[in-house]
Amino acid sequence: MQVSLEVNGSAHDVDVHPGERLSTVLRDRLELTGTKVSCGEGTCGSCTVVLDGRPVLSCLTLAAACHGASVRTVEWRGETLERLRDAFTAEDAFQCGFCTPGQLMSALALLERTPAPSRDEIVAAMSGNLCRCGAYEGIALAVARASGDAA
């Protein structure tokens, strides 16, 4: 099945197998390896990408269902994502970094729909992303910093 995708602003036509996951297309076919797959069953959020403005778990999303969609991965170079990258560094919001791509993409989706989120909104939006290193406080502070609230 031929699927047309816009990924990080570039058009791609990809021949996908039935049941092939978006994460596989991004990593193996388009060589965008920033998206990580950890649990592979939608539990950890490390594979989160932004699909038509919404955060989705790419390990559970069928590539065939994304025909005509716009996908942004951690490789995207948008201003808000750059602000988040800087804030994650400033707030020491990662340790091993494996979950960071998914954390960044969930935070990006949050800030695009809620530019000045409350702490509760940040915690709720990030609740689908697990960090085995326990950097949750730094992650929440980084998202607040990127929103313009350095407190």
Side-chain angles (χ1 to χ4, degrees), residues 84-102:
L84 281 162
R85 286 187 185 102
D86 291 345
F88 268 60
T89 300
E91 296 293 345
D92 198 21
F94 45 78
Q95 290 181 25
C96 79
F98 199 83
C99 70
T100 304

Side-chain angles (χ1 to χ4, degrees), residues 50 53-55 72 76 78-88 103-119 121-123 125-126 139-149:
V50 176
R54 297 177 300 111
R72 285 179 290 161
W76 185 61
E79 187 272 335
T80 304
L81 189 54
E82 293 296 332
R83 242 184 315 128
L84 281 162
R85 286 187 185 102
D86 291 345
F88 268 60
Q103 302 274 3
L104 286 167
M105 299 316 289
S106 290
L108 174 66
L110 169 64
L111 294 184
E112 287 181 341
R113 72 176 180 272
T114 309
S118 69
R119 181 167 177 83
E121 289 171 319
I122 293 170
V123 170
M126 304 304 293
I139 292 167
L141 289 171
V143 176
R145 176 185 286 260
S147 76
D149 179 10

Side-chain angles (χ1 to χ4, degrees), residues 64-80:
C66 299
H67 181 69
S70 172
V71 180
R72 285 179 290 161
T73 70
V74 73
E75 288 93 347
W76 185 61
R77 305 310 283 178
E79 187 272 335
T80 304

Side-chain angles (χ1 to χ4, degrees), residues 2-26:
Q2 189 76 17
V3 173
S4 296
L5 297 168
E6 179 188 298
V7 181
N8 298 331
S10 297
H12 298 273
D13 292 315
V14 184
D15 191 24
V16 302
H17 307 288
E20 190 168 8
R21 297 169 186 205
L22 179 59
S23 58
T24 302
V25 169
L26 294 171

